[in-house]
Amino acid sequence: MNAFLIYLTPVIAFIFFFNLIGIAHKVKDGEKEITVQILMSGFMFAFIIFALVLSGISN
């Protein structure tokens, strides 16, 4: 399980960062349909927090 989190968390964090940049550009341009991106960012943020908490517990 720890190996899974070690390799997957940086990938999710990278995608999360670029998704936030995409949301910022869409908000700046005035697009209204960003619900899917916000929902996806919420799940990615929750996963990153879960991975950090789990790594703190396992040490």
Side-chain angles (χ1 to χ4, degrees):
M1 178 74 174
N2 283 341
F4 177 72
L5 290 175
I6 289 170
Y7 295 115
L8 187 63
T9 304
V11 173
I12 296 293
F14 188 74
I15 295 169
F16 176 71
F17 176 71
F18 281 108
N19 193 26
L20 287 180
I21 291 173
I23 290 171
H25 283 292
K26 287 183 179 186
V27 168
K28 182 180 174 188
D29 293 338
E31 288 188 39
K32 302 289 183 195
E33 294 297 322
I34 57 172
T35 306
V36 174
Q37 285 89 0
I38 291 175
L39 188 63
M40 193 169 73
S41 292
F43 285 128
M44 286 188 284
F45 182 74
F47 177 80
I48 292 168
I49 296 300
F50 171 74
L52 289 172
V53 168
L54 200 63
S55 69
I57 290 172
S58 66
N59 286 335

